[in-house]
Amino acid sequence: MAAIVLNNENFEEEVLKSDKPVLVDFWATWCGPCQKQGPIVEEIADSQDEIKVCKLDVDEVPEIAEKYSIMSIPTVIAFKGGETINKNIGLGSKEQLLALFN
C-alpha cells in the first residue's frame, strides 16, 4: 500500500488515532536526502502490513512539523498509540527505520 500523504485535516485521524503503529516521514521536495529516502519509505509501505506509513511535506504542513520540532529533514518519527516512540534524523536505511519500532 502506498504511503498516506498527511495534511492538517487527516493527521489526527491517520496518526494519532491509528490502531496500528505509524511511521511518518517528514520531508520536502527540494531536499536531496529526502528524495533518496522516499523509495525506502515507499518500500516499507508496500512490504509492512502491520505498520501504517505516512509522508508529510514540511513546506505544505509547517504547523505539524513545528509541533514535532522538525529542524532537519528527512526526519522519520515512529508513533504508537498516538505517542512518539522514536525518531531518526537524516537518511536512514530500511532496517534503521523499521528498528524505530523495537
Side-chain angles (χ1 to χ4, degrees):
M1 186 166 114
I4 297 165
V5 176
L6 295 173
N7 55 46
N8 284 319
E9 288 73 42
N10 69 357
F11 184 84
E12 183 176 349
E13 191 66 33
E14 295 292 351
V15 179
L16 303 181
K17 293 183 177 178
S18 177
D19 56 351
K20 289 182 173 183
V22 184
L23 188 74
V24 179
D25 177 23
F26 290 84
W27 70 290
T29 55
W30 49 264
C31 166
C34 298
Q35 300 305 320
K36 290 181 180 175
Q37 186 152 281
I40 297 167
V41 171
E42 288 296 335
E43 183 181 335
I44 293 170
D46 291 339
S47 66
Q48 301 293 317
D49 292 335
E50 67 279 359
I51 299 171
K52 185 186 288 188
V53 179
C54 303
K55 296 179 69 68
L56 186 140
D57 185 326
V58 298
D59 289 333
E60 291 183 14
V61 196
E63 306 84 7
I64 295 174
E66 187 176 311
K67 179 179 178 181
Y68 289 95
S69 303
I70 305 301
M71 303 300 235
S72 299
I73 52 175
T75 292
V76 175
I77 299 180
F79 290 85
K80 195 170 191 179
E83 300 292 324
T84 300
I85 59 168
N86 217 336
K87 74 167 56 172
N88 185 81
I89 300 171
L91 184 60
S93 68
K94 180 179 178 181
E95 293 75 23
Q96 287 172 311
L97 300 183
L98 289 173
L100 296 175
F101 294 100
N102 295 340

